[in-house]
Amino acid sequence: MCFAHEDSAMRARTKRLVNLTAAVLVGLLLACSTMKEAKPPSDSPVHHLVILHTNDTHGHPVKFFKAPAPDVGGLAARATIVQRTRGQNKNVLVLDAGDINTGRPESNLFKARPDIEGFNYIGYDAMAIGNHEFDNALDVLKEQMKLADFPFLSANVRTKQGELLTLPYIIKEFDGFKVAIFGVTTKETEFLAFPENTRGLVFQDEVEVAKQLVPELRKHADAVIALAHLGIYNSPKLGSKRLATEVSGIDLIVDGHSHTKLDAPIVMTHPDSGHKTPIVQAWKWGLVVGRVDLFIQEKRVTDYKFQAIPVNLKEVEKEPNGTMVYHFIGEDIPEDPELVRLMEPYVEGANSVLSEVVGQAEATFFYRNVRKMETGLGNLVADSMLWYTKYLGVDFALQNGGGIRADLPKGPITQRSLHEILPFGNSVVVLTLDGATVQSLFEYIGSISRGQGAFPQVSAGVSITLNTLTKKCENIMINGEPLDPERTYKVATNSYLAAGGDAYRMLLKALHRYDSSASLRDVVIAYIEHLGGTVKPRISGRINFIDKRTQSESMQEAA
């Protein structure tokens, strides 16, 4: 039985359509961690709860290639893991910590409908709202919530009229005990999401909301779980670590947002109460399914175990004759045939649109460093915008690294490739900025930490030095000339940044803006055709660094 708080704007929906059957054993134990506290009297019952969790699946509903191996992940194999677990355990929760949107074409072209249908089939109990749930218009998110047989949870997203966007929590009742699950969405969504999509919404401080909510939930439940889209960072003052250390009484944080691959939970202790809270994540893209076993006695978690179950991940071995042999990391998990069938129309629909070959890559353009340094892939995207808008007198182009989401593999370049690399559907926008605003732009770029989605990729003609010691952008050269705060510049960028996304707020001060309405993907395709159809990754010293290790070293790492 499930009890849900009901806001005036929302009603709780039925949680599950399908009662799945059982099967054999659970997947491989990659990592296991346990915690033990002083236990209550031994005659009180111990309740065993299994939580299966995912996060940041990002539009990966069917199995896919992830270097070095094909056919990893996918909802159909995940369904088998869930079925097996339910067959062996009577108390099972299936949770997702958000960001179901924006990934592969099978999902993007259908606004995550296949993902949600797959979640319905598997029987998810709840999902947190992540920042990428706002990649589409709010109407799309509301349609997704209607389609889902499970609630989207967030206790800290409200309308400007004060109404909750969705349910803040649910309470699940099992035989002899109850579990409260509340959702929180990163406040960073205010500047991470496309501003037009969050207009009219307020993202409250996650910790302040939880401080009010958790004591109330503890009155009604034996255990409290935070389903959080906050992220794991080094600092205890950020993300889910902050939640754990500033809000006492949370028994488990199932987290997302930072795509963290854990070998064991991170355990944080509340400084006043001494309450220990484990934090877990399940990497990204459905590559693993996290499993937490909680043991609950007299409203206390007395023990837990954690494991990350690989979803058909593989290692590759090259034999002497050159043959590539793949070895499963863990076991070969069969796909649920009914869920495979359910996904087929979406796969066929995507293939019919995206199989067209538009060019050839002489080598792989890797995306792994687009949030850290100049890359060949970032250069290709930025140069495409500069080329396309040159007739308008554009001086340079700017792309955020976080907007680039996949490799461009060596070989034929297809429409599909570009949809995977640039999944957000942005258009190319030209902004006219005064020199002072451009100065502010590069000052902000200097403050961005390597690894953040806001990290820049810039077009040919731009050269900068990022001083990581002073957090300043130095030696700014634009087309061979130092930045002139007295002149006017034209800058091409994507529509997300032009609207102030990734905290590029200074771009909102544009003297003039022109949205070309040309899809950034189409612009990249046209640029590849302009280059003769064949491209190769190149680095040209556009972004250089000063840091403690080198004091003054140009970053020359291969693209």
Side-chain angles (χ1 to χ4, degrees), residues 131-438:
N131 57 289
H132 282 281
E133 271 58 84
F134 300 96
D135 286 347
N136 303 297
L138 193 57
D139 287 346
V140 174
L141 174 56
K142 290 179 178 179
E143 285 300 316
Q144 291 175 342
M145 289 193 285
K146 289 179 182 178
L147 177 64
D149 296 324
F150 51 90
F152 286 41
L153 300 180
S154 184
N156 67 312
V157 183
R158 292 180 179 268
T159 67
K160 288 188 176 178
Q161 291 73 41
E163 295 181 345
L164 283 162
L165 178 65
T166 186
L167 294 175
Y169 68 85
I170 58 172
I171 296 179
K172 298 286 291 185
E173 185 172 335
F174 296 92
D175 184 12
F177 68 104
K178 298 176 183 178
V179 179
I181 305 108
F182 73 96
V184 281
T185 303
T186 176
K187 186 172 171 57
E188 293 179 349
T189 306
E190 290 177 331
F191 62 83
L192 292 176
F194 192 82
E196 182 65 31
N197 296 341
T198 57
R199 199 179 307 280
L201 296 179
V202 175
F203 294 83
Q204 298 174 296
D205 183 271
E206 314 93 314
V207 166
E208 295 306 315
V209 169
K211 282 180 179 178
Q212 300 297 317
L213 184 57
V214 171
E216 292 302 312
L217 295 178
R218 293 218 68 89
K219 295 176 183 178
H220 304 286
D222 297 87
V224 175
I225 297 172
L227 191 55
H229 196 81
L230 300 179
I232 296 171
Y233 306 99
N234 291 331
S235 172
K237 296 181 180 181
L238 297 174
S240 55
K241 288 183 180 179
R242 176 181 173 235
L243 183 67
T245 54
E246 295 190 23
V247 182
S248 183
I250 302 174
D251 295 304
L252 175 69
I253 298 176
V254 176
D255 193 28
H257 188 50
S258 56
H259 299 194
T260 305
K261 186 179 182 181
L262 291 179
D263 295 323
I266 295 169
V267 181
M268 304 299 292
T269 303
H270 191 275
D272 298 326
S273 68
H275 187 94
K276 295 183 183 298
T277 302
I279 303 169
V280 295
Q281 265 199 48
W283 200 8
K284 62 180 180 180
W285 303 350
L287 294 168
V288 300
V289 172
R291 171 173 169 158
V292 179
D293 291 64
L294 286 187
F295 298 89
I296 304 164
Q297 192 174 23
E298 291 192 347
K299 290 200 167 189
R300 297 176 59 196
V301 172
T302 59
D303 197 4
Y304 71 78
K305 297 179 181 180
F306 169 80
Q307 56 184 312
I309 304 168
V311 185
N312 289 334
L313 302 184
K314 305 172 187 74
E315 296 174 322
V316 62
E317 178 185 2
K318 189 173 183 178
E319 295 188 337
N321 63 2
T323 302
M324 308 301 287
V325 178
Y326 297 101
H327 303 283
F328 282 90
I329 300 173
E331 65 175 301
D332 178 357
I333 300 170
E335 294 188 299
D336 180 290
E338 180 60 23
L339 191 45
V340 171
R341 186 197 63 76
L342 188 65
M343 294 295 108
E344 282 176 355
Y346 300 108
V347 174
E348 292 169 0
N351 287 340
S352 66
V353 173
L354 303 175
S355 58
E356 179 190 358
V357 175
V358 297
Q360 190 82 12
E362 292 186 357
T364 296
F365 288 72
F366 292 104
Y367 92 104
R368 59 178 174 246
N369 288 322
V370 292
R371 300 176 185 226
K372 297 180 180 179
M373 63 187 69
E374 177 188 351
T375 65
L377 187 53
N379 288 351
L380 177 66
V381 174
D383 288 350
S384 297
M385 289 191 284
L386 179 65
W387 166 79
Y388 181 76
T389 59
K390 204 66 178 176
Y391 75 100
L392 295 171
V394 165
D395 295 285
F396 66 95
L398 171 70
Q399 167 70 27
N400 57 317
I404 298 172
R405 310 294 282 197
D407 296 338
L408 176 60
K410 178 181 178 180
I413 302 171
T414 63
Q415 290 268 7
R416 172 182 292 277
S417 303
L418 273 301
H419 273 263
E420 292 173 0
I421 293 164
L422 301 168
F424 295 105
N426 288 313
S427 60
V428 176
V429 178
V430 176
L431 304 175
T432 302
L433 305 173
D434 61 38
T437 302
V438 175

Side-chain angles (χ1 to χ4, degrees), residues 396 398 433 437-445 504 506-507:
F396 66 95
L398 171 70
L433 305 173
T437 302
V438 175
Q439 182 73 52
S440 297
L441 167 64
F442 284 105
E443 287 174 358
Y444 171 63
I445 285 172
Y504 280 86
M506 74 296 298
L507 298 184

Side-chain angles (χ1 to χ4, degrees), residues 60-80:
H60 285 70
V62 298
K63 62 186 179 183
F64 58 97
F65 178 90
K66 184 184 182 301
D71 298 337
V72 303
L75 286 165
R78 195 186 314 167
T80 299

